[in-house]
Every structure is written in C-alpha cells, then in structure tokens.
Amino acid sequence: MTLSLEEQARLTAGATMWTTGAVAELGLREVAMADGPMGVASGKIDEREVSILTPAPVSLGASWDLDLLARVGALVGNDAIARGVDALLAPNVNLARSPNAGRAFEYYSEDPLLAGLCGAAWVRGIQSTGTGAVAKHFVCNDSETERDTMNAVIDDETLRQVYLLPFELACEAGCAGIMTAYNRVNGDWCAEAAHALSIVRDEWQYDGVLMSDFFATHSTAATLNAGLDLEMPGPARFLGAKAADAVAAGEVSAERVADAAERVMRFARRFGGDKTPADLDANTLLTEAAVAGMVLLRNDGLLPLAADLPTIAVIGPNATAPCYQGGTFARIAVTPDAPTPLAAIEAEFAARARIVHEPGVDPQPRLPAMPVVPALDLGDGCTEGMTVEYFTGHDLSAAPLTRETRATNSLVWFHGVHEQTRFNEAGAVRARGWYTAPASGLHRFYVGATGPVSLWVDGVDVVARAEQPAASDIMGVLKAGDAAHADVALEAGQRVAVEVQFRFAPARAQGLWYGVRAPDTPDAMLARAVEAARAADAVVLMLGETADASVESKDRADTRLDAGQLRLAEAVMAANPRTAIVVNVGHAFDANFAEGAAALLVAWYPGQAFGTALADVLAGKREPGGRLPVTLARDEADYPAFSLKPAANGDLAYGEGLLTGYRGLRAKGIAALYPFGAGQGYTSFALGEPRVDGGAIRLTVTNTGNRTGSEVVQAYLAASPFALVAHARVTLAPGESAEVMLRPDSRVLRSMAGMASVTIRVGRSAEDVPLSVEFRLG
Ligand code: BGC
C-alpha cells in the first residue's frame, strides 16, 4: 500500500519531543529517541531517572581502541533497550577544533580520522543491539558561541577532508541517521545546506534519515529541497502538513516528500523493531574503558604508588566532587552507588596506607548546589531538596496544580513532555526549602531561569532577575545557565527559609536553577592542604572542573584551570615533590602548571567508574592506556584555532583550513607541550623497522620493560598536511614482540591523488615519528 501525500508529509516532522510519527496501516510504530552520547539521557532531564554513564567521547577517543569503542556503544545499546529507546542522538563527531569549544568533551578528537574511526566503531557497537545511532551535528558545529546564528566560512577541500570525514565514516558504518546543526555553513542554515547535504545523499549514497537538531529548522521548501527528511522535535513547525502545502504550491516535488517519508519509514523498519542486547558486564567494561582513556603524560616513577607508603594525601576538590560530564541536554543522572575517587582510593589502600584528604579549594562550581530540606513533607520519602509547586498563571497565592520534591539545583521542563503545568502558557513555579548555614559569614545565593525569577531568604527578596530571555535559542539559554547572585549574612547553625519564585511566559521549554555557596575560607583551606601534603609520603592531587565548565551555547575563554586550583598545585608541589597530579577535564588545557609534578595523569571525564578505575591505576593493578586525542599546546597562541567568537556579521572563519590541531603546529614548526598521540604506560617499548606489505605497513613492537602494557603505534602522512593515516594498539607481556599492521586510510590519502607514492612516518606521537617508509598509492 502507498501512503497519500498528506500521510507522507506527516512523517516529515516528529510526533512528539522524542518520537517520529507511526504508520499504523503499515505496522510501523514510532521510533523513540533519547539524547546521547555518554549514555541514554532522560527525556525528562530528570535527576531521578538514573542510567549508565560511560566515559565521555574525549576519554574514549584517548583510548585509540576501536574494539573498546564498539563494546561501549553496545553497552549503551543495552541500556537503551532497557529504557525502551530505539535510537540515540549520538555520536557527536564534530571536532575539537579549539580547546575552548564548550562541547569539546563530547568530541572524540581534534583529528578527523581518529574522530571518524571512533564514531564509526561506536555506531557499529550500538547498532549491533538493534538500537540506532544518529551522528551529529552536521556540520561545522565545532563551537557554541552564537551557535543558533553563527556562519562557518570554510573552503570546500577543508569541509570535505576535515569536517565531513567523520560523518563519512559514520555513514559507511551504516548509522541510522544524521542530525543537522544549529549554525550556518557558507551562508546556509545547516538544515538547508544543499551542497553539504548533497554530498551525503548523492556522493555517499547515504540512505538513512537526515533530521534537524531540536528547533533548528527555518523554512519548509528550502529545507525539503536541500534534502532534510525529518524536523525534530514534534509537533511540526515548518515540515509536517506544510510539506504537502509546499507540494501543492509547486515549491517542492512530490517525489521529494515521498523520499523523505520513505527514509523516515526505513528508520522505523530498521530500528523500531526487535532488539538484541549484547552480552556485556557493565561494571567490568566501564572500569576497563575509564582506565583505557587515562593518559599518563609524566612519571618519574612515583606511579604506580609503592605498596609500602605509610601515608597518602589525597588533595583537591575533584577527589570528592568528580566532574563526570558537561551540562548539556545529554546529561546522565549518575547512579548514587558510583564511589567518589576518594572513596575508591580509601577502599583500595586502606589495608596498607593511611589516607588523608583535604579539598584545598572550594570545588567552585559556577552554580553551587542547594543543600536544603523540603519545606513540606509530601510523603514521598524525600528528605533532601526543594518542595516544588506548579501554578497556572502568575498568582502564587492560588492553589498549586501539583507539588513534588526535587533534589537538584537545576530543573528543566518541555512543553508536551512535562505535565506538571502547561509550559506553553503563562505559569509559575515556586520552590521552597530550609537551609542551615554550616558556618558564619556571607552566604552567596544564586538564581536564574528562562524568565523573571526571584529568590527570597526568610521572606526577604534578596536577588532577582527580571529579564525575559529571547526565545531564539531557548535550549542554549537553558544550558548556559547564567545566574544572578547576592550575599546574605548568616550565623553558623542558623536555619532560614529559602523560596524561589519563577513566573514564566509561554515557551516550548522552561528552566529554573539556583544554589548557595557557604562562606569561603580559601587561605585556611590551602594551609590545611599544604600541611597534609607535607606530612604525607606521596600526594595524589585531584584538580579539574565542574559540569558547568562545558555547556551548550557557550565556549570557554581560555585553557587554564581555576586560579585557586593553580595556587593549590604550586603550594602542594612545593610542600611535597612526590605529587601525582590527576586532571579531571574534558578538553585540551594548559598543563604548564604541572611541569614540576612527579606524575601527571589526565583522566578526562571517565564515566561512572572513575573512582574504581583511578584507584586501580594508582595501585598499579591496571595500566593507564590512553594517548592524547588532542594537542596540549605550550602557549594558547599556538593553537591553530583558538577564539570562537564570530565576527560582527556572524561569520566564523575556518581560516586554518586543513592545518587543524597538531597539523597546524607542525606546519609552523611549533612543538607542543604534550603532542597529539602522546602518552606513556607503566612499561617501555621498542619499534622495529617498518616495511610495506601490499596496502599495509608492518613493523615489530617489543615490550622492553618488566610489566605487561600497551603501545599505540601511529602512522602519519609526511607531506603537508601532516596527517594521521593509521594506528594500531598492541598489548604485550614483558619481553614479548608482535608484528602490528598499519593500513593507511584511503580517504585521508585522497588529497595525494596523482602521486605515485608518499612518505609515511611512523612512531608514538605526532612529534615522535622517527621511522619512515615509502608507500605506493593506487
Ligand atoms: C543539542 C543536541 C541534542 C538535542 C536534543 C540540542 O540542544 O544540540 O545535541 O541532541 O538538543 O536534546
């Protein structure tokens, strides 16, 4: 049976926030989607809906281990099946073009081949369970500043060879769909980018579904004619029924709408049916994956920690407040059972060492938590959090429609998804709780929302935001999370009533966030940390960021860790040179501060197994297996792309062209502080002479150390652009040798078409390529 034009048109828009339309006559049900990539995000962005949190893509990229990526993808597929989700809005195969990119933790690498291989492996893994993967955000959404208007200006060769390459690999892996981005590229909205979309549809012959990012459509005819198939979310705004009108008006061909509908139906046939969970043990795999991504950059022998250390000081805010992820819509509610790094280290070392802990600085989240007890006992067993009440209209003296207790400092609601009140009509939310001051002094209260909001302490209006944010990037306003603040003097033990009043205008999404910071005593905290460091036999110093360092719609301004943390690092290293620094960040950062440390380990955002994995690495039970997926430059000026602020006309020039990341440093003869691909384990390796064997390069790798470990052998095209063409990971016992095979990627070599042969350099990082071989093309 064939569908009528109207039925086909209906399929070109989502039915609800997270689903496509169903076609009952054809036995096709709707496809249920959820946000990724670190796991299956709650469609309600609700802290009570816990799911598995895998390492962030930057951490998975650091593993350079494609088999592992496939298994992690399959694990996410299992969780999707458990939650009734058919397809995940992931992987994110944009590139870490600048270390300041707000969502860099969601990207695998600065290198297009590594990012593409990782994304493709993850796609194969998740789709092996019957769960679809929608690669995003197509294309040049490598930054967040003004993302809903920014225009990436890029030449065609760079577009294809750098920014489209990861999508090409994801398509070859058969990804279920591609999501277009918010921004524009060379003048066209990504949802209307006919040139880029024709490469996908015509050149790559991709037959999956092409869908918009959420609320990122701007037109009917131009969008359909460019090749977009599905507007998300539903209900329809520009597509849906309007697609049929556009056919009637002669603006869009009937064939195009039929093709779009067919692609949506193919999506449903492929992924709206039976699923097959993979046979995987979640905890084992999550620990393996977290360890595999940890990159050891310096080590004078302090790590692994000797078994006979009497006292180990675990210092730093991230020991008890680990940063697991950024603040995007893909945020996962993490299991409360995940041990903090401090708890896991205590469990691992308790029998043989005394563990002492000092935070040294406040964890300094931009938006601190709101540790209150509910104003009302709703009989729901919740003893923490605010009593949240919902109203129609702005009158808070009216009876609330409903009440709930919410133990979070950030609430999000979507019209059509959340039922507490009607969020697309004027309404209000009131949140109330009791706060007990832990110390005497000025307490800083924070509040923000997607509309006028005020925060009251004991009946006094202490801070308010009056503005109504523009609706054009409501998702971005929500995730940027800007808050106003005011200080209130409280005595230790004083109990005060905190009340937040939020009156909103009709919108498709609403959000409210708040927090309180107890008085800081930075000098005393620092002094205690220094004293603990001095008295210990070794120090593990855990620095890093909080979730609000990485958000949608906002990039960072620089690569430095928080100033208080840098001061802490300096003082701790001076007090005890036997300091191993663990950095818990989601992107390239300024590592100069750690040059005096005995060891430097980059943990990234390693997922819910962070604590267990780190304890295993410190104790030497496992080897940190990662290699840098991004360059850590010596100087911010060395990054080929740094500032992400578009020009006044909205243009963001991709001026470095093909010379992104390490390629750009190499072209300028600049050495990185820690180059792309760098990292050491707990053993050492020797590389034999490479030789060409058909379409591959082979060489022998020998473990010359005294423990089992892994090496990642890397091959780069020597000509400009100097570019990664292959890598191989190998694990060897002490004294063991094995032959590895590197197969230079034909897509990267496309740029050399016409040449008879090229020189390939082989080694351990982009700056350590001592070996070389001539490789014949064609
Ligand atoms: C993000 C996408 C995400 C979508 C749905 C957008 O704001 O850019 O990555 O998939 O929201 O949550």
Side-chain angles (χ1 to χ4, degrees), residues 300-314:
D300 71 357
L302 178 60
L303 296 184
L305 295 172
D308 57 355
L309 297 173
T311 304
I312 302 169
V314 179

Side-chain angles (χ1 to χ4, degrees), residues 17-18 35-36 89 92 103 106 136-137 141 147 179 182 213-214 329-330 475 552:
M17 183 77 183
W18 300 108
D35 213 357
L89 303 177
N92 188 336
R103 292 175 83 166
E106 281 193 4
K136 66 189 185 184
H137 310 83
N141 185 184
R147 70 169 180 178
M179 178 193 279
Y182 285 109
D213 199 341
F214 279 40
F329 282 106
M475 305 288 265
E552 293 187 19

Side-chain angles (χ1 to χ4, degrees), residues 26-381:
L26 297 179
L28 285 183
R29 64 171 178 78
E30 74 279 356
V31 179
M33 293 175 264
D35 213 357
M38 288 158 294
V40 184
S42 152
K44 292 192 160 178
I45 319 200
D46 189 317
E47 73 285 356
R48 297 165 291 191
E49 295 187 351
V50 169
S51 57
I52 290 176
L53 176 75
T54 75
V58 66
S59 161
L60 295 172
S63 77
W64 295 58
D65 185 340
L66 305 182
D67 169 67
L68 176 74
L69 268 132
R71 284 182 290 134
V72 170
L75 180 66
V76 175
N78 284 1
D79 213 25
I81 295 170
R83 278 155 228 296
V85 167
D86 301 311
L88 222 67
L89 303 177
N92 188 336
V93 291
N94 295 120
L95 297 182
R97 176 173 172 256
S98 159
N100 293 334
R103 292 175 83 166
F105 73 100
E106 281 193 4
Y107 312 153
Y108 294 106
S109 175
E110 69 186 25
D111 180 80
L113 179 63
L114 182 59
L117 292 171
C118 289
W122 191 91
V123 166
R124 290 195 174 94
I126 186 170
Q127 293 196 170
S128 72
T129 69
T131 307
V134 179
K136 66 189 185 184
H137 310 83
F138 185 91
V139 59
C140 296
N141 185 184
D142 313 292
S143 56
E144 293 296 298
T145 308
E146 298 169 24
R147 70 169 180 178
D148 58 330
T149 52
M150 179 276 275
N151 178 36
V153 179
I154 183 167
D155 68 81
D156 203 53
E157 188 185 11
T158 304
L159 179 66
R160 288 169 181 268
Q161 283 293 87
V162 180
Y163 298 94
L164 289 180
L165 184 67
F167 287 97
E168 189 178 352
L169 281 141
C171 286
E172 279 176 22
C175 65
I178 290 186
M179 178 193 279
T180 58
Y182 285 109
N183 52 285
R184 291 177 290 155
V185 63
N186 290 333
D188 295 327
W189 295 112
C190 284
E192 303 173 12
H195 172 61
L197 290 172
S198 77
I199 294 174
V200 179
R201 296 170 56 98
D202 305 333
E203 293 187 26
W204 303 345
Q205 297 279 306
Y206 178 66
D207 68 359
V209 65
L210 298 165
M211 70 177 72
S212 71
D213 199 341
F214 279 40
F215 309 108
T217 44
H218 301 266
S219 69
T220 305
T223 301
L224 283 164
N225 289 336
L228 198 92
D229 307 311
L230 174 65
E231 174 183 59
M232 284 303 290
R237 296 190 310 141
F238 291 102
L239 302 195
K242 287 184 183 164
D245 300 344
V247 173
E251 294 165 2
V252 175
S253 71
E255 291 73 36
R256 178 70 266 275
V257 175
D259 169 55
E262 175 53 33
R263 284 167 180 262
V264 175
M265 288 192 287
R266 193 178 301 135
F267 184 41
R269 282 196 292 270
R270 282 180 76 194
F271 300 103
D274 291 347
K275 308 283 195 295
T276 347
D279 183 15
L280 291 168
D281 179 66
N283 285 335
T284 309
L285 177 55
L286 289 168
T287 309
E288 178 194 342
V291 169
M294 290 184 182
V295 183
L296 184 61
L297 289 174
R298 309 172 58 81
N299 188 14
D300 71 357
L302 178 60
L303 296 184
L305 295 172
D308 57 355
L309 297 173
T311 304
I312 302 169
V314 179
I315 295 176
N318 291 57
T320 53
C323 183
Y324 286 121
Q325 51 194 325
T328 63
F329 282 106
R331 196 169 166 72
I332 302 292
V334 184
T335 168
D337 299 338
T340 63
L342 177 64
I345 293 169
E346 279 170 341
E348 173 62 39
F349 288 89
R352 53 187 192 277
R354 195 168 76 89
I355 304 291
V356 293
H357 169 64
E358 283 295 337
V361 293
D362 193 69
Q364 306 217 324
R366 215 164 39 90
L367 182 69
M370 179 66 93
V372 292
V373 299
L376 301 175
D377 180 356
L378 302 181
D380 53 7

